[in-house]
């Protein structure tokens, strides 16, 4: 399938050419026609599969329809997203895709001055990207009106629910016009997500391209057993010997992130830390510096990093094993984006064995263990449990999409790659 088969307007096709996108990702080929068909959509696909463009492109296409002669900058699309960084990122994508269109958008989120956001809203926008809390503040101050909303998007819905935004979302929903198109995107269909769907969406088409326990087939991941006290030393050794050009490093705690970052800095390995205690400005700057290759290492906690799209990330390092198994999938999903190859390693000490086991259970797969000479642990990792056998099929990000919808059952060619390992 090509973008030109999707009935998107020409200015969009041109912008996609500029972005050097060759063809739609599986989730995009499923979701875009469904949205253009005016249906509500709930879609699950692993991170890095191009969900943003899957909703932004058809919305832009519809907003720029010449039949819709409304140049009044009426806010017609509302996109809710969990974090400030994601809001800014989606806004950037909208800008890029709409460069040949007369569309105005803005992003509002906490941690930045509300006054500036009010001014932008006053000038009028077509699309608003927002985090729930700040949006409600703006609403209470009468700086935003929802009466023209035609499109309501919940992006990274599972993360929003994890972060406790359920009540804010429900409050916002009640303020929206009844007649609207609801588009809900998530990495996984959790129970909480499904219960929210019932309240938000109207006979939605369900589209699923992957499940929670799938890691991309294009990601090589393995664990290095090591004693806890020697983790930092091993990390530095790996950075030196493996010559990572850049890596995203995850730690369990904010404090741990800072400590590690200071250690890297001491060794003249350029790095920054991002976590909840850093100011918004600080986090944005660190992310920019990393994206522009001005620093080599970005040390992050889970909340700070989930959903962030960092281009050309080849390497993810789990300095600590994530305490929530699902976060493993999210973390290593930072690499191998959009079909590129990625690598992820996890440093595991004996006390983290249970967490590792939880992950292996979730993935239904043992993760390869590689001991690094000189760092063999004195406290060895127990032998992994036998896991239920997994049927071997075609798996991974670009496997054949599974479309559970009742209608819209277009057959897509099987472009899947078989899983390596
Ligand atoms: P998700 O929301 O599913 O985690 P994103 O929307 O952040 O994924 O997209 C991940 C990356 O893939 C982004 O860098 C985006 O620019 C890129 N991308 C999206 N669609 C395509 C495409 N059709 N071809 C190539 N790259 C794409
Ligand atoms: Mg996303």
């Amino acid at each position: 399938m090509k973008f030109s088969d999707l009935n998107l307007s020409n200015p969009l096709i041109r912008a996609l050419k500029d972005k050097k996108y060759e063809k739609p990702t599986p989730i995009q080929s499923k979701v875009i026609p469904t949205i253009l068909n005016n249906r509500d959509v709930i879609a699950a696909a692993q991170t890095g599969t191009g969900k943003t463009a899957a909703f932004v492109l058809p919305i832009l296409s519809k907003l720029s329809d010449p039949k819709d002669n409304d140049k009044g900058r009426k806010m017609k699309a509302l996109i809710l997203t969990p974090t400030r960084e994601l809001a800014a990122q989606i806004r950037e994508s909208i800008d890029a895709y709409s460069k040949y269109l007369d569309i105005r958008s803005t992003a509002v989120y906490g941690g930045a001055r509300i006054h500036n956001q009010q001014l932008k809203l006053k000038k009028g926008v077509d699309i608003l990207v927002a985090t729930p809390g700040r949006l409600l503040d703006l609403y209470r101050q009468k700086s935003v009106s929802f009466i023209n909303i035609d499109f309501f998007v919940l992006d990274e819905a599972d993360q929003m629910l994890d972060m406790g935004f359920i009540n804010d979302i429900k409050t916002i929903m009640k303020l929206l016009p009844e007649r609207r198109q609801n588009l809900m995107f998530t990495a996984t269909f959790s129970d909480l997500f499904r219960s929210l769907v019932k309240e938000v969406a109207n006979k939605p088409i369900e589209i699923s391209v992957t499940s929670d326990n799938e890691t991309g087939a294009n990601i090589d991941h393995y664990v290095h057993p090591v004693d806890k006290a020697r983790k930092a030393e091993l990390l530095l050794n790996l950075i030196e010997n493996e010559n990572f050009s850049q890596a995203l490093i995850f730690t369990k705690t904010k404090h741990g992130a800072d400590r590690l970052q200071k250690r890297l800095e001491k060794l003249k390995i350029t790095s920054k830390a991002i976590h909840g205690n850093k100011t918004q400005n600080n986090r944005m700057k660190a992310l920019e510096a990393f994206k522009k290759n001005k620093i080599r290492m970005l040390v992050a906690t889970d909340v700070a990093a989930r959903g962030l799209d960092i281009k050309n990330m080849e390497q993810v390092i789990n300095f600590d094993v994530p305490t929530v198994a699902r976060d493993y999938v999210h973390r290593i999903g930072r690499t191998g984006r959009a079909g590129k190859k990625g690598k992820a390693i996890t440093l595991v000490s004996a006390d983290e064995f249970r967490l590792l086991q939880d992950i292996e259970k979730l993935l239904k797969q043992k993760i390869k263990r590689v001991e690094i000479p000189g760092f063999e642990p004195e406290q060895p990792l127990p032998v992994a449990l036998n896991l239920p056998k997994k049927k071997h099929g075609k798996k991974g990000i670009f496997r054949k999409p599974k479309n559970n919808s009742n209608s819209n059952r277009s057959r897509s060619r099987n472009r899947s790659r078989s899983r390596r390992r």
Side-chain angles (χ1 to χ4, degrees):
M1 174 156 330
K2 289 183 285 191
F3 277 114
S4 52
D5 299 330
L6 286 175
N7 259 330
L8 294 166
S9 62
N10 265 333
L12 289 171
I13 302 286
R14 274 169 66 202
L16 291 168
K17 270 218 177 85
D18 293 353
K19 288 281 279 179
K20 305 218 159 43
Y21 290 3
E22 281 166 17
K23 53 176 199 260
T25 64
I27 191 85
Q28 289 164 0
S29 2
K30 291 280 175 190
V31 165
I32 292 172
T34 314
I35 298 179
L36 291 175
N37 245 337
N38 306 318
R39 294 298 304 262
D40 280 12
V41 170
I42 61 170
Q46 187 187 313
T47 60
T49 49
K51 293 191 285 295
T52 315
F55 61 81
V56 169
L57 292 171
I59 289 177
L60 287 173
S61 195
K62 288 175 121 191
L63 289 181
S64 59
D65 190 337
K67 273 179 270 161
D68 180 357
N69 242 326
D70 212 340
K71 285 274 167 315
R73 301 272 179 234
K74 292 177 179 154
M75 197 176 95
K76 291 197 166 170
L78 173 63
I79 301 167
L80 287 188
T81 185
T83 66
R84 310 142 179 194
E85 284 86 353
L86 275 171
Q89 208 167 275
I90 294 171
R91 162 88 211 292
E92 276 170 32
S93 299
I94 296 172
D95 266 2
Y97 302 139
S98 66
K99 72 195 255 205
Y100 300 113
L101 291 171
D102 178 27
I103 292 280
R104 203 187 283 162
S105 68
T106 193
V108 297
Y109 39 78
R113 289 185 49 191
I114 198 164
H115 181 66
N116 294 344
Q117 297 176 352
Q118 283 167 320
L119 287 180
K120 291 223 175 87
L121 287 169
K122 212 166 174 188
K123 284 195 205 139
V125 295
D126 303 285
I127 304 177
L128 181 64
V129 188
T131 54
R134 176 54 60 96
L135 182 67
L136 283 170
D137 287 346
L138 286 160
Y139 178 80
R140 288 182 192 117
Q141 300 190 20
K142 301 205 170 19
S143 301
V144 64
S145 150
F146 298 123
I147 54 172
N148 295 306
I149 294 293
D150 290 331
F151 305 96
F152 177 50
V153 182
L154 283 176
D155 187 34
E156 310 284 347
D158 51 350
Q159 190 183 353
M160 266 200 268
L161 295 172
D162 282 354
M163 289 170 73
F165 281 131
I166 181 89
N167 290 329
D168 284 352
I169 294 171
K170 285 185 180 168
T171 308
I172 292 165
M173 237 172 59
K174 290 195 189 102
L175 303 169
L176 303 178
E178 196 110 333
R179 265 180 63 100
R180 57 170 200 261
Q181 204 173 346
N182 300 291
L183 312 169
M184 301 171 71
F185 290 79
T186 181
T188 64
F189 284 138
S190 63
D191 292 345
L192 202 52
F193 174 79
R194 286 196 183 277
S195 71
L196 182 65
V197 166
K198 286 205 187 97
E199 291 189 49
V200 178
N202 171 28
K203 300 200 193 91
I205 303 283
E206 182 173 319
I207 295 169
S208 157
V209 169
T210 183
S211 64
D212 194 24
N213 56 4
E214 296 288 342
T215 58
N218 51 338
I219 301 174
D220 262 339
H221 58 129
Y222 43 92
V223 304
H224 294 316
V226 61
D227 284 328
K228 190 157 215 95
R230 296 193 69 199
K231 276 195 175 186
E233 204 188 325
L234 172 59
L235 175 71
L236 298 169
N237 180 289
L238 289 169
I239 292 176
E240 200 164 302
N241 292 333
E242 307 268 318
N243 218 349
F244 302 141
S245 54
Q246 274 196 312
L248 177 59
I249 306 174
F250 285 97
T251 60
K252 190 163 61 187
T253 64
K254 300 168 193 170
H255 184 61
D258 282 336
R259 207 169 33 200
L260 187 59
Q261 191 268 333
K262 287 201 185 99
R263 224 167 143 172
L264 293 170
E265 210 57 40
K266 248 196 205 137
L267 292 165
K268 305 255 176 324
I269 299 169
T270 52
S271 60
K272 290 245 173 343
I274 55 172
H275 53 64
N277 284 357
K278 298 268 181 186
T279 63
Q280 172 55 15
N281 197 16
N282 237 307
R283 283 156 70 172
M284 289 285 202
K285 276 196 183 140
L287 190 63
E288 266 317 293
F290 190 66
K291 282 188 175 178
K292 292 198 175 129
N293 234 318
K294 289 191 176 135
I295 55 171
R296 256 179 98 189
M297 303 288 148
L298 188 65
V299 188
T301 55
D302 288 296
V303 170
R306 256 173 89 169
L308 291 186
D309 175 36
I310 300 165
K311 287 221 170 51
N312 306 322
M313 269 294 320
E314 278 167 34
Q315 184 70 52
V316 165
I317 301 171
N318 294 315
F319 187 77
D320 299 308
V321 181
T323 43
V324 179
R326 188 147 51 93
D327 283 342
Y328 181 83
V329 181
H330 290 297
R331 285 185 182 186
I332 77 170
R334 309 292 98 225
T335 179
R337 310 276 280 173
K340 290 208 179 80
K341 272 201 156 185
K343 286 195 294 181
I345 57 175
T346 304
L347 311 189
V348 188
S349 50
D351 60 305
E352 293 172 309
F353 174 67
R354 288 190 73 94
L355 300 174
L356 176 64
Q357 230 177 20
D358 288 346
I359 295 166
E360 293 184 325
K361 264 190 222 149
L362 175 73
L363 299 179
K364 298 198 179 63
Q365 172 197 120
K366 284 185 198 171
I367 307 172
K368 203 167 132 202
R369 299 176 180 201
V370 180
E371 288 194 349
I372 304 290
F375 289 91
E376 297 88 350
E378 277 175 24
Q379 287 180 286
L381 276 189
V383 177
L385 275 184
N386 272 331
L387 296 160
K389 273 262 180 308
K390 183 170 183 167
K391 281 188 211 110
H392 266 273
K394 311 244 163 118
K395 296 277 160 60
I397 299 184
F398 290 108
R399 75 175 170 165
K400 185 177 180 181
K402 182 171 74 202
N403 187 346
N404 304 329
S405 64
N406 299 323
S407 57
N408 200 40
R409 203 178 269 272
S410 62
R411 286 270 166 255
S412 77
R413 269 179 297 131
N414 188 345
R415 285 174 294 136
S416 46
R417 300 171 188 168
S418 48
R419 180 165 226 161
R420 294 181 300 129
R421 115 171 17 96

